[in-house]
Amino acid sequence: MKTITTLSPDLVYYPMSHDFGSVTEGHPYETTFDIWNGGSSTLTWTLGIIHTWVSPYPTSGSSTGEHDTVTVHIDTTGLSAGPYSGFVSISANDGGGVRYFNIDFIILDNAPPNTPSQLNGPSSGNIDETLAFTTSSTDPNSDDLAYGLDWDDDSNIDFWSTSYYPSGATYEIRITFHSPGTFSLRALAKDIYGALSGFSIPKVVTISGTSNDPPNTPNKPSGSSTGNTGVAYSFSTSTTDPDGDQVKYGWDWNGDGTVDEWSGLKNSGSSEIRSHSWTISGTYYIQVIAEDSNGAQSSFSLAKTITISSNQPPNKPSISGPSSGIKGSSYTYTSTTTDNDGDQVYYWFDWGDGSNSGWKGPYSSGQTASESHIWSAEGSYSIKVKTKDINDAESIWSDPLSVSMPKGKAFNLFEDLREFLELFPGLSKIFYGLF
């Protein structure tokens, strides 16, 4: 007798269901589950779909033990608010009948965005002048928002933003009016699922019939053509506005076409003076643009070239003078140095007794500086000098010079006798006659 064992597959899948919870109409959602053969031989399986909002992939497969992952996609577009239950049916060749992967979710109403704020911006302008306005809105579902603008108060959108913006972000629009009149600007918001807000409170803008001319191109900046790092240099320019409007100046300190610094508004024709320093050596191109009080801009001026070098401190100074003396007497000391940049220099004498000369100068590079000092107490002192150039770059200290101040005047028999005889000329003749 022979025994025959029949090998059979066994469908296993996990998880067996998924609850998406609360979802928003119009949003897509996904989940996954695995199918595999828990028995022997080869398992073949197929999926059945009856709900139009369910899309599983793949819809069929086979397994000898490996896992097949099924992605289940639901599309809530067009579904009304409320609870939903559905399934994907699973049939296999294991004789186990139809099984189900269950799906549950609740659709919440997609709340429209809140009404945008009233447009913020100027209330008047001229034809062909570009005016800037801002607004913002929030979305209860935190959806991104696009903005529509109605500028003739007919409730039709004349312009839609080309991008969506985060809920609560500020949206800016620039409008150029090509005809005079009074315009009532209103904005509304649209979320990514098409829900619309109401219109904002109108912003009334009056446009006059005269066009606004931009300022004339500013003069090429005047000022230094060379300089050192870390030193501020002043530059000046000016322009006029054909309409007599006030103008502000935008300074581009490196010639890249981007304004690095704006001035305040100034009267047409008045000079603009501004200082700037550079931290890195190199050649820089300074140019200026002007903008009138209505926002019209000129072209950039011709560029002013300045070459910035690294500023070198003065060289180590020398010091010379008496190395001994008497307290209470004045002694003079000299020092000299050179500056590799040819800058003028200042000298600082440290007298070693807690006092100093302060900064003295300026002197030309290589010029000798002289300073005097009186020591009021006997002792030994160490004098030293340092220098700085006119750009405040300081040298190192000089080598010290030791100075000794004895307690009193040294006794010298012949010197004292000579001084005594000079007081009595008659005695002097007798004394010198003896020797």
Side-chain angles (χ1 to χ4, degrees):
M1 176 180 291
K2 295 182 179 179
T3 302
I4 299 175
T5 301
T6 302
L7 301 177
S8 61
D10 180 22
L11 170 70
V12 184
Y13 67 101
Y14 185 84
M16 297 180 179
S17 63
H18 182 77
D19 188 348
F20 287 94
S22 298
V23 299
T24 302
E25 185 273 328
H27 286 251
Y29 299 90
E30 287 185 351
T31 189
T32 62
F33 69 94
D34 282 2
I35 297 176
W36 67 95
N37 183 10
S40 57
S41 189
T42 299
L43 173 78
T44 59
W45 54 268
T46 58
L47 303 182
I49 309 165
I50 65 170
H51 306 289
T52 58
W53 41 266
V54 177
S55 301
Y57 181 83
T59 57
S60 63
S62 63
S63 170
T64 57
E66 70 278 5
H67 287 225
D68 295 330
T69 298
V70 177
T71 299
V72 180
H73 174 89
I74 66 170
D75 184 358
T76 61
T77 302
L79 300 181
S80 58
Y84 286 79
S85 293
F87 58 84
V88 174
S89 64
I90 309 171
S91 300
N93 63 341
D94 66 342
V98 178
R99 278 138 290 187
Y100 302 93
F101 178 79
N102 296 305
I103 303 167
D104 296 283
F105 58 88
I106 300 174
I107 291 185
L108 302 177
D109 287 325
N110 179 37
N114 296 311
T115 300
S117 59
Q118 183 184 33
L119 287 163
N120 181 40
S123 299
S124 61
N126 299 310
I127 60 172
D128 298 325
E129 178 185 356
T130 300
L131 304 178
F133 300 89
T134 59
T135 187
S136 65
S137 177
T138 56
D139 186 85
N141 307 116
S142 298
D143 297 328
D144 289 349
L145 303 175
Y147 289 88
L149 186 69
D150 169 24
W151 53 55
D152 50 13
D153 204 22
D154 63 357
S155 296
N156 292 320
I157 300 301
D158 299 300
F159 173 83
W160 276 106
S161 64
T162 57
S163 303
Y164 283 84
Y165 299 85
S167 173
T170 297
Y171 170 66
E172 180 183 72
I173 183 172
R174 292 178 175 265
I175 307 174
T176 302
F177 297 88
H178 300 294
S179 60
T182 299
F183 299 85
S184 184
L185 310 181
R186 300 188 301 165
L188 59 72
K190 176 178 69 175
D191 68 18
I192 57 176
Y193 305 108
L196 297 173
S197 72
F199 277 103
S200 65
I201 298 172
K203 170 71 176 182
V204 179
V205 181
T206 302
I207 303 300
S208 66
T210 57
S211 61
N212 176 50
D213 294 313
N216 295 313
T217 301
N219 297 324
K220 177 181 178 180
S222 62
S224 300
S225 298
T226 59
N228 293 313
T229 55
V231 181
Y233 298 94
S234 294
F235 303 89
S236 64
T237 187
S238 66
T239 192
T240 56
D241 185 86
D243 307 312
D245 297 329
Q246 287 189 310
V247 296
K248 62 180 180 179
Y249 294 87
W251 291 84
D252 172 14
W253 297 113
N254 58 4
D256 64 356
T258 300
V259 172
D260 300 306
E261 184 177 4
W262 281 102
S263 73
L265 287 170
K266 298 175 178 288
N267 291 331
S268 173
S270 61
S271 295
E272 156 70 357
I273 301 174
R274 194 144 299 255
S275 296
H276 187 71
S277 64
W278 290 265
T279 58
I280 301 175
S281 60
T283 299
Y284 296 89
Y285 303 94
I286 307 166
Q287 55 184 0
V288 187
I289 195 172
E291 180 180 304
D292 68 18
S293 55
N294 296 308
Q297 290 188 347
S298 70
S299 301
F300 272 106
S301 68
L302 294 175
K304 165 71 177 179
T305 303
I306 183 171
T307 301
I308 300 297
S309 303
S310 296
N311 180 42
Q312 300 296 319
N315 294 310
K316 178 181 177 181
S318 63
I319 183 172
S320 61
S323 60
S324 64
I326 301 171
K327 68 175 184 178
S329 296
S330 177
Y331 297 93
T332 299
Y333 295 85
T334 60
S335 180
T336 185
T337 191
T338 55
D339 186 86
N340 292 330
D341 304 312
D343 296 331
Q344 291 183 304
V345 295
Y346 295 83
Y347 289 83
W348 178 291
F349 288 77
D350 184 333
W351 301 117
D353 60 357
S355 65
N356 58 71
S357 64
W359 287 114
K360 300 295 183 179
Y363 294 85
S364 297
S365 174
Q367 183 180 0
T368 298
S370 298
E371 288 296 321
S372 298
H373 186 64
I374 298 173
W375 284 269
S376 59
E378 66 277 0
S380 294
Y381 301 92
S382 181
I383 308 172
K384 56 184 178 179
V385 180
K386 67 178 176 179
T387 60
K388 71 174 182 179
D389 64 18
I390 56 174
N391 299 310
D392 290 329
E394 294 188 9
S395 72
I396 62 174
W397 287 100
S398 68
D399 292 331
L401 174 63
S402 295
V403 178
S404 176
M405 292 291 122
K407 293 183 178 181
K409 185 176 181 181
F411 177 76
N412 188 317
L413 174 62
F414 292 104
E415 179 66 21
D416 291 345
L417 179 58
R418 184 187 62 79
E419 292 178 359
F420 174 77
L421 293 174
E422 287 177 354
L423 296 176
F424 303 95
L427 290 175
S428 176
K429 292 179 181 181
I430 297 172
F431 179 81
Y432 288 118
L434 297 175
F435 293 93

